[in-house]
Amino acid sequence: MRTALLFLALACSFGVQAQEAYPSKFVRLVIPFPAATSPDVVMRIVGPQLGQMWGQQMIIENRVGAAGNIGAAQVANAAPDGYTLLYTVNSVICANPHLYSKMPFDPLKSFVPVSLVANLGYVLVARNNLPARDLKELIALAKSQPGKLSYSSSGVGVGTHIVMELLLGMTGTQMLHVPMNTPALNAVYGGETDLTMTPYTTGVPAAKGGKARALGVTLPRRLDALPDVPSIAETVPGYAGDAWHGVFAPAGTSQAIVDKLAADFTKVLAMPEVRKRLSDIGLEPVGTTPAQFAAIVKNDHAKWGQVIRNANIKLD
């Protein structure tokens, strides 16, 4: 009897030690977008800090293709041991399932949400010689000329497309969508299109540099970097369009590992130097519990699905 109890105690002890030892080797973080995009830039800032905390390196792997589906599918099929994680934006999890008739994973069942890492909004910018001087005038102009104004985006179904369609739907306006293989902002600079939604990271320099006119920001509050530019919600109550970044683990990953990852990401995101570096590139550091992030994912999956159905956007 004593021997059995001793073995049980030792087993429990080893189990606790194994749990406490995570991670005991490098952690692979899959980003389904190219190097130098905002998710990649964020993890080049956050990853090394996590590596120092763990005493283990975080390896970043960029797996590009199919609007993020290829990289996400790789993580969905990985062992649920905490050593392969997904770092992605909301469009892959909340928009792609409504854009593609066939998906290589189920975004709500193939992953465990770990933590929302950062919020990123968009700036609605217009060519400098557009007659509308603010959002109210733009809406009036669009209603007087249905389908005549144009807006560029970085592709059908991407965040810049969807947040613009949300605005059109909420204001009862119509505009011509022009998907671009080149930067959508350049089309506004060159007068090829009238408007675009562009991430804070590019919209703030464009507005401050005078290359384009900022008409609004998509998050509910004004942006510190552009204090004179109102939020779109000030003119269109209830409007909110964000592009969060978040960490996911394969379904089946132990709750202990998920909770540790969430806590560690939150600790790093609270570091003053990390917060400053992310804020400087237009991102709002967050850090949440897994439960909080799961609620956000579920809500946005339903929200963006409705926008996509209303605009009849399909990719296949």
Side-chain angles (χ1 to χ4, degrees):
M1 183 70 174
R2 289 183 178 178
T3 303
L5 290 173
L6 177 60
F7 276 121
L8 179 61
L10 287 172
C12 291
S13 175
F14 285 135
V16 171
Q17 288 175 8
Q19 188 181 79
E20 290 176 347
Y22 173 84
S24 59
K25 61 180 181 179
F26 72 85
V27 175
R28 185 165 62 111
L29 187 79
V30 176
I31 298 176
F33 300 102
T37 54
S38 61
D40 182 77
V41 171
V42 170
M43 280 302 112
R44 303 289 173 181
I45 295 171
V46 173
Q49 298 290 345
L50 287 167
Q52 289 182 20
M53 181 184 296
W54 295 336
Q56 300 290 342
Q57 190 175 6
M58 175 176 278
I59 305 294
I60 295 174
E61 182 178 328
N62 301 94
R63 295 281 293 183
V64 182
N69 285 348
I70 290 177
Q74 183 181 15
V75 177
N77 294 320
D81 56 9
Y83 290 98
T84 302
L85 305 173
L86 174 67
Y87 185 69
T88 190
V89 300
N90 57 351
S91 62
V92 175
I93 303 297
C94 300
N96 283 5
H98 307 288
L99 294 167
Y100 291 89
S101 58
K102 293 182 179 179
M103 288 283 289
F105 57 88
D106 184 326
L108 299 184
K109 294 181 180 179
S110 300
F111 304 104
V112 178
V114 174
S115 179
L116 191 154
V117 171
N119 276 326
L120 171 64
Y122 300 94
V123 183
L124 174 62
V125 297
R127 56 182 171 86
N128 280 324
N129 58 351
L130 188 72
R133 307 295 300 182
D134 56 32
L135 183 56
K136 187 176 180 180
E137 290 184 6
L138 173 66
I139 295 170
L141 180 62
K143 287 184 174 180
S144 70
Q145 302 176 12
K148 293 293 181 66
L149 294 178
S150 62
Y151 74 93
S152 47
S153 81
S154 51
V156 176
V158 300
T160 53
H161 179 199
I162 295 171
V163 293
M164 191 68 186
E165 286 296 335
L166 176 63
L167 177 60
L168 298 182
M170 292 182 70
T171 56
T173 54
Q174 300 174 25
M175 295 185 191
L176 175 66
H177 176 217
V178 183
M180 308 289 294
N181 291 323
T182 54
L185 194 54
N186 288 352
V188 174
Y189 292 162
E192 299 170 59
T193 59
D194 299 305
L195 303 149
T196 192
M197 287 282 194
T198 188
Y200 284 173
T201 47
T202 49
V204 171
K208 285 188 169 183
K211 292 184 177 181
R213 184 186 308 145
L215 300 182
V217 296
T218 63
L219 291 183
R221 65 176 183 82
R222 294 194 181 197
L223 185 62
D224 290 343
L226 295 174
D228 296 328
V229 178
S231 70
I232 291 174
E234 292 177 42
T235 302
V236 184
Y239 180 92
D242 65 350
W244 49 253
H245 293 189
V247 183
F248 295 82
T253 303
S254 77
Q255 191 62 48
I257 289 177
V258 171
D259 288 342
K260 175 175 172 50
L261 284 167
D264 289 349
F265 269 92
T266 299
K267 287 176 186 175
V268 169
L269 292 167
M271 295 177 178
E273 64 274 24
V274 170
R275 296 189 68 82
K276 183 178 187 308
R277 290 182 68 184
L278 294 181
S279 297
D280 286 347
I281 58 173
L283 290 134
E284 177 189 18
V286 186
T288 64
T289 66
Q292 289 170 332
F293 188 30
I296 291 167
V297 169
K298 183 178 179 180
N299 179 74
D300 280 9
H301 183 272
K303 172 184 175 180
W304 293 121
Q306 190 62 55
V307 173
I308 290 165
R309 287 190 293 273
N310 290 346
N312 195 30
I313 306 170
K314 286 291 181 184
L315 288 177
D316 59 10

